[in-house]
Amino acid sequence: MIDSQRGRACPLFRSGILALMLVLTAAVCEAGIPADSLARQLLRKGLGSYHSHDLLTELVRVAGSRLSGSPGAVKAVNLTAAMMRRYGFENVHAESVMVPHWVRGKKEEALLLPRGGGAARPLAVCALGGSDGTPRSGITAEVLEVRSFEELRAAGPRAAGKIVFFNRPMDPTLLNTFSAYGGAVDQRAGGAIEAARCGAVAAIVRSVTLARDNVPHTGSMGYRDSIPRIPGVAIGIRDADLLSATLIHDPHARVKIRLSCRTLPDAPSANVIGELRGSERPDEVIVIGGHLDAWDTGTGAHDDGAGCVQAIEALRLLKELGIKPKRTIRAVMFMNEENGSRGGRAYVAATQRSGERHIAAIEADRGGFMPRGFTVQGDSDVVERVKRWETVLGLVGAGVVTAGHAGVDVSPTVEAGAVGFGLIVDHQRYFDVHHSANDSIEAVHPRELELGAIAGALLVCLISEEGL
Amino acid sequence: MIDSQRGRACPLFRSGILALMLVLTAAVCEAGIPADSLARQLLRKGLGSYHSHDLLTELVRVAGSRLSGSPGAVKAVNLTAAMMRRYGFENVHAESVMVPHWVRGKKEEALLLPRGGGAARPLAVCALGGSDGTPRSGITAEVLEVRSFEELRAAGPRAAGKIVFFNRPMDPTLLNTFSAYGGAVDQRAGGAIEAARCGAVAAIVRSVTLARDNVPHTGSMGYRDSIPRIPGVAIGIRDADLLSATLIHDPHARVKIRLSCRTLPDAPSANVIGELRGSERPDEVIVIGGHLDAWDTGTGAHDDGAGCVQAIEALRLLKELGIKPKRTIRAVMFMNEENGSRGGRAYVAATQRSGERHIAAIEADRGGFMPRGFTVQGDSDVVERVKRWETVLGLVGAGVVTAGHAGVDVSPTVEAGAVGFGLIVDHQRYFDVHHSANDSIEAVHPRELELGAIAGALLVCLISEEGL
């Protein structure tokens, strides 16, 4: 076991490497490692190689974009299973799950058509995930710009036959960029529904981003059974500003949208699992994971290739250090977080069948940036108990422990009784890349990524050895 | 005054904008702003425009590289004075200081010459700052690789007539990259002295960086009067590894170095100063600053254009919010931090003549990355008193207050009695860019940079209104 209160020592891990440590560290009894020594060893091992960056490079090179149902997703399932076998994880397998299968298709364009018949201007757009396509001839209509659903409803019949342009930006003045995202993403998720309710023929949504470039950012959108299905696209923010400015002096300007995206029948896919089997309580499971699917506009290096390779790297680091955990530590690559969350639900269903008890579920899905700590999703007592690890987690840069949501993929596991944890990172740069072509390996810093893996390794080990 | 303990209210700033706030905020008395309200207003104003990024873009575009004594440094002095006048700061002026004047010259190359006479291979090098040049025909010699001064001394006479190659990397396994820097920079600063002491003819130093590219990183090196002056260059780390590997199978391989760098007579330059004059205690001064000079290999966007524009932006933000501080808040662009620290010393000399009392001196010189808090350089009582602001500083992301060194430029001011503060940032990426061509505006994130300015504005305002 690990002793997170320095100076107190307790019976711990048993492994070959520890003989040396017994000589080197003061606060050790039997064959254990004090938690602060473990933290330093994880830093030494992890930052000595930046292995997680190599794994991520391999993932985006081999699998590339990997939306649920795509050939890239199949490659990602096979590759991450192969990675876990390569490192000698136990019980490596894929667990089947049927997933939605949306494809972008080849045609994806929008043209701004000035009223007077001037030259058409291409706009930087991409279909929102789940959108229906347009007729082959496209949809051409005048544009109604609004900043909110309330403004749309107030406009009422003026929306009929038009393309509704939702142009409310993320609020850049909030320190917490996730709050800013939360304040704008309703337009993307529900814009097509609300526009169709008012008789509109399509929806254009200002990209939900804090970047100042013109790259469109996709993401899932919904339909509602009783309301007509109209196409939805995201537009780069410079072109959003251009469209808005154009509409002031040319309110009858039209936009023509052509999309060939469509939804195919559900496809077979899988969660991928590998573990370090617990030596004393193998049926008590600690999950650490991210989601393997990623939007097809980029290669999902941050979202959420980072979380996947960090989970694999966390287990690899513990194994490299010769640690044999008391409880089972399991890496899970969840499928289909982006447009269905089927993987997270299928995982719980499978584990409930097997009679395992999940004591904790840790998710990393906020980008591979500098870690700061962990949210804890559980009752206030457990949050307080986790706070006893703040000092030791601080040794690897992740000393903030605060109550909060863990993550989409582990939510069903948390609902089933596990304590949830979410890796907190510095998120100032996240919404520059999120769901866009900007989300590439070049945007991931090797040290920041590895530190997330190290923080994860340390936390799972603390939970495994000390309990919650 | 600002009330940093929420709920308690005190008499504060007087300004027009505050009338509105009186209606909006609960914890206000007379014409003051509670500190948490000020924090939110600074976020709103600062993150609403990322003004510091525009200033930094202007600085690197107009002045470019700006080593002490260079034409770029002259432009930087004029430009930052103009910026401060543009925003209506008071008492804007340049204070003369004579600075060292080292020039790189046009010729800067190193060739790896295999023993058997194979093709010469260019190596990525740059002269270290302060190095003498080589004869026009260059210096050609065999290479002795060492990892430390101890190893060099043990090699003793084997160094005579050779080029000594210092190849100890920064330790990547330390979480604190400044500690890793401190563990390697002796080779750059003193390598030429130690090599010459052993009879060597030149020194090559592995770039002091954590990047994995081949870009050489410069920085200052020294000479000692009694020891021959030999040239020193930094080599990119890929070429350092190549050279090291070459020496294993070809120990008599030679390197030819040609440099035309030289030191000219000291040149006139200046610190640049502007302030918001205190309304109640104008003779009590709070300095916030960075250094205006930057190595000529890049454009010094992080080091330390960031600290300069953050100081200007901090005062601009306070002025925009209509804040009239009790004490004088002064932005200082220090000249010559990189190779002489003359500006910091000249500043103190000038202020001591004028009879001002400096109560605090804040420096930002760790790159324009995400702020985390402030080091405090003072006695333990003052550190504890500053900790009372952790909560409010945390509202802008900078809630860590810890005892520590403030910075090179403000050191003389701190020695003269001021409490020193250093902006702490996330430094994982800093040594990728530090002192190299990588240090460009593209490496600076607008939000992270602006948050440093906001943190500075909040701290100077807290000190001004509440005292230390």
Side-chain angles (χ1 to χ4, degrees):
Chain A
M1 134 172 215
I2 303 179
D3 176 25
S4 64
Q5 280 85 41
R6 289 195 208 188
R8 280 181 45 209
C10 307
L12 292 196
F13 307 133
R14 283 149 225 286
S15 84
I17 196 168
L18 296 179
L20 180 62
M21 290 171 210
L22 285 170
V23 181
L24 297 177
T25 59
V28 170
C29 70
E30 299 194 25
I33 317 180
D36 54 351
S37 169
L38 175 64
R40 279 190 290 273
Q41 289 179 56
L42 286 168
L43 287 174
R44 206 166 305 135
K45 208 42 113 178
L47 292 178
S49 71
Y50 308 140
H51 201 87
S52 55
H53 197 261
D54 294 340
L55 290 176
L56 187 56
T57 303
E58 190 179 354
L59 177 63
V60 301
R61 181 176 53 76
V62 171
S65 72
R66 49 192 183 277
L67 193 59
S68 294
S70 70
V74 174
K75 289 179 193 162
V77 165
N78 294 334
L79 175 65
T80 51
M83 286 173 172
M84 293 198 262
R85 287 195 190 99
R86 186 196 303 168
Y87 301 126
F89 296 177
E90 294 156 88
N91 190 23
V92 176
H93 65 285
E95 284 183 357
S96 295
V97 51
M98 293 299 289
V99 292
H101 189 192
W102 178 82
V103 292
R104 187 169 296 278
K106 286 188 180 160
K107 179 59 75 180
E108 184 167 77
E109 67 174 25
L111 296 171
L112 174 57
L113 307 169
R115 164 85 165 165
R121 192 191 185 290
L123 298 170
V125 297
C126 65
L128 292 176
S131 174
D132 283 358
T134 64
R136 190 179 293 261
S137 57
I139 289 173
T140 305
E142 291 186 6
V143 178
L144 173 71
E145 177 180 341
V146 297
R147 296 236 158 184
S148 67
F149 294 163
E150 294 66 37
E151 191 181 338
L152 172 61
R153 280 180 216 121
R158 285 198 296 122
K162 298 238 176 78
I163 294 170
V164 174
F165 169 34
F166 294 96
N167 196 26
R168 185 169 86 259
M170 280 177 73
D171 181 354
T173 72
L174 298 175
L175 177 63
N176 187 329
T177 60
F178 281 91
S179 300
Y181 179 72
V185 74
D186 62 320
Q187 303 170 102
R188 189 198 78 204
I193 296 169
E194 296 305 317
R197 210 194 284 277
C198 296
V201 293
I204 298 176
V205 180
R206 183 184 182 94
S207 285
V208 187
T209 181
L210 287 167
R212 298 194 285 181
D213 57 23
N214 202 29
V215 176
H217 293 239
T218 192
S220 65
M221 59 167 268
Y223 287 123
R224 200 161 292 166
D225 281 348
S226 58
I227 296 170
R229 297 165 67 101
I230 63 172
V233 297
I235 184 170
I237 63 166
R238 287 191 193 161
D239 278 355
D241 291 340
L242 171 96
L243 177 56
S244 182
T246 300
L247 292 172
I248 291 170
H249 65 79
D250 185 4
H252 296 290
R254 292 173 306 153
V255 167
K256 176 178 181 175
I257 299 173
R258 289 213 297 169
L259 302 176
S260 56
C261 50
R262 62 204 174 111
T263 299
L264 303 176
D266 283 1
S269 189
N271 296 324
V272 187
I273 290 168
E275 65 193 28
L276 307 183
R277 194 83 180 145
S279 59
E280 295 184 15
R281 303 183 188 184
D283 290 337
E284 293 187 13
V285 178
I286 300 149
V287 163
I288 179 168
H291 65 83
L292 198 49
D293 60 312
W295 284 108
D296 56 334
T297 39
T299 53
H302 276 293
D303 185 13
D304 184 27
C308 291
V309 301
Q310 284 170 332
I312 296 174
E313 174 70 350
L315 270 64
R316 191 194 72 87
L317 285 169
L318 295 177
K319 215 167 143 54
E320 277 248 320
L321 291 176
I323 286 167
K324 298 195 189 309
K326 272 187 192 168
R327 294 172 171 89
T328 294
I329 297 176
R330 180 178 293 166
V332 181
M333 321 281 103
F334 293 96
M335 182 53 69
N336 186 231
E337 189 268 355
E338 293 293 4
N339 58 343
S341 307
R342 301 270 185 94
R345 290 200 295 274
Y347 176 77
V348 159
T351 55
Q352 284 175 335
R353 281 194 300 275
S354 73
E356 293 172 335
R357 189 167 87 83
H358 279 65
I359 64 167
I362 300 154
E363 181 158 346
D365 186 20
R366 296 179 175 111
F369 301 100
M370 180 67 192
R372 302 291 288 266
F374 292 92
T375 54
V376 184
Q377 188 175 354
D379 62 40
S380 56
D381 286 351
V382 80
V383 176
E384 281 311 305
R385 288 200 301 277
V386 174
K387 277 183 183 289
R388 75 186 187 275
W389 294 327
E390 281 187 329
T391 303
V392 67
L393 289 169
L395 294 177
V396 302
V400 174
V401 170
T402 183
H405 182 65
V408 170
D409 294 301
V410 299
S411 266
T413 305
V414 172
E415 282 163 25
V419 177
F421 294 83
L423 181 66
I424 305 171
V425 299
D426 253 346
H427 44 67
Q428 296 301 324
R429 291 173 276 147
Y430 189 43
F431 292 99
D432 294 358
V433 305
H434 182 253
H435 293 186
S436 81
N438 295 339
D439 190 359
S440 67
I441 188 74
E442 290 73 23
V444 179
H445 193 267
R447 290 179 65 82
E448 296 181 346
L449 181 69
E450 187 71 27
L451 284 164
I454 289 168
L458 184 55
L459 179 63
V460 292
C461 207
L462 290 164
I463 298 170
S464 162
E465 304 313 295
E466 296 196 7
L468 277 171
Chain B
M1 125 169 223
I2 301 179
D3 176 23
S4 62
Q5 281 83 42
R6 290 197 208 187
R8 282 180 44 209
C10 307
L12 293 197
F13 309 131
R14 283 150 224 287
S15 84
I17 196 170
L18 297 179
L20 180 61
M21 291 172 210
L22 286 170
V23 182
L24 298 177
T25 59
V28 170
C29 68
E30 298 195 25
I33 318 179
D36 55 350
S37 169
L38 175 63
R40 279 189 291 273
Q41 288 178 58
L42 286 168
L43 288 174
R44 206 167 304 134
K45 210 37 116 177
L47 292 178
S49 70
Y50 308 139
H51 200 87
S52 54
H53 196 261
D54 294 340
L55 291 176
L56 187 56
T57 303
E58 190 179 354
L59 176 62
V60 301
R61 181 175 53 77
V62 171
S65 72
R66 48 190 185 280
L67 193 58
S68 294
S70 69
V74 174
K75 288 179 193 163
V77 165
N78 293 334
L79 175 64
T80 50
M83 286 172 173
M84 292 198 263
R85 288 196 188 96
R86 185 197 303 168
Y87 301 126
F89 297 177
E90 295 154 89
N91 190 24
V92 176
H93 65 286
E95 283 183 357
S96 295
V97 52
M98 293 299 289
V99 293
H101 188 192
W102 178 83
V103 293
R104 186 169 298 277
K106 286 188 180 159
K107 179 60 74 179
E108 185 167 76
E109 66 175 26
L111 295 172
L112 174 57
L113 307 169
R115 163 86 164 166
R121 192 190 186 291
L123 298 170
V125 298
C126 66
L128 293 176
S131 174
D132 283 358
T134 64
R136 190 178 293 261
S137 57
I139 289 173
T140 306
E142 289 186 5
V143 178
L144 173 70
E145 177 180 342
V146 297
R147 295 237 159 182
S148 67
F149 294 163
E150 294 66 37
E151 190 181 340
L152 172 61
R153 281 181 215 119
R158 286 198 295 123
K162 297 236 175 81
I163 295 171
V164 174
F165 169 35
F166 294 96
N167 196 26
R168 186 170 84 259
M170 282 178 70
D171 180 354
T173 71
L174 298 175
L175 177 63
N176 187 329
T177 61
F178 282 91
S179 300
Y181 179 72
V185 74
D186 62 321
Q187 304 170 100
R188 190 197 78 205
I193 296 170
E194 297 305 318
R197 208 194 283 278
C198 296
V201 295
I204 298 176
V205 180
R206 183 185 182 93
S207 285
V208 187
T209 181
L210 287 167
R212 299 195 284 182
D213 58 22
N214 202 29
V215 176
H217 293 239
T218 192
S220 65
M221 58 167 268
Y223 288 123
R224 201 161 291 167
D225 281 348
S226 57
I227 296 171
R229 296 165 66 100
I230 64 173
V233 297
I235 184 169
I237 61 165
R238 286 191 192 162
D239 278 355
D241 291 341
L242 172 94
L243 177 55
S244 182
T246 300
L247 292 172
I248 290 170
H249 66 79
D250 185 4
H252 296 289
R254 293 172 305 153
V255 167
K256 176 177 181 175
I257 300 173
R258 290 212 299 168
L259 302 175
S260 56
C261 49
R262 63 205 174 111
T263 300
L264 303 175
D266 283 1
S269 190
N271 296 325
V272 188
I273 290 167
E275 65 194 30
L276 307 184
R277 194 84 180 143
S279 60
E280 295 184 15
R281 303 183 187 184
D283 291 335
E284 294 186 12
V285 178
I286 300 150
V287 163
I288 179 168
H291 66 83
L292 199 48
D293 61 311
W295 284 109
D296 56 335
T297 39
T299 53
H302 276 291
D303 184 15
D304 184 27
C308 291
V309 302
Q310 284 171 331
I312 296 174
E313 173 70 351
L315 270 64
R316 190 194 72 87
L317 285 169
L318 296 177
K319 215 166 143 53
E320 277 248 321
L321 292 175
I323 287 167
K324 298 195 190 309
K326 272 187 190 169
R327 295 171 171 90
T328 294
I329 297 175
R330 180 179 294 168
V332 181
M333 322 280 104
F334 293 96
M335 183 53 69
N336 186 229
E337 190 268 354
E338 293 292 5
N339 57 345
S341 309
R342 301 270 186 93
R345 291 199 296 273
Y347 176 77
V348 158
T351 55
Q352 284 174 337
R353 282 195 300 275
S354 73
E356 294 172 334
R357 189 168 87 84
H358 279 65
I359 64 166
I362 300 153
E363 181 158 346
D365 186 20
R366 296 180 175 110
F369 300 100
M370 181 67 193
R372 301 291 289 266
F374 293 92
T375 55
V376 184
Q377 189 175 357
D379 61 40
S380 56
D381 285 352
V382 80
V383 176
E384 282 310 306
R385 288 200 300 278
V386 174
K387 278 182 182 288
R388 75 186 187 275
W389 295 326
E390 281 187 330
T391 303
V392 66
L393 288 168
L395 295 176
V396 303
V400 174
V401 170
T402 183
H405 182 66
V408 170
D409 294 302
V410 300
S411 266
T413 305
V414 173
E415 282 163 25
V419 177
F421 295 83
L423 181 66
I424 304 171
V425 300
D426 253 346
H427 43 68
Q428 295 302 325
R429 290 172 277 148
Y430 189 42
F431 292 99
D432 294 358
V433 305
H434 181 254
H435 294 186
S436 81
N438 295 339
D439 190 0
S440 67
I441 188 73
E442 289 75 22
V444 179
H445 193 265
R447 291 179 65 83
E448 296 182 346
L449 181 71
E450 187 71 27
L451 284 164
I454 289 168
L458 184 54
L459 178 64
V460 293
C461 207
L462 289 164
I463 299 170
S464 163
E465 304 313 295
E466 296 196 6
L468 278 171

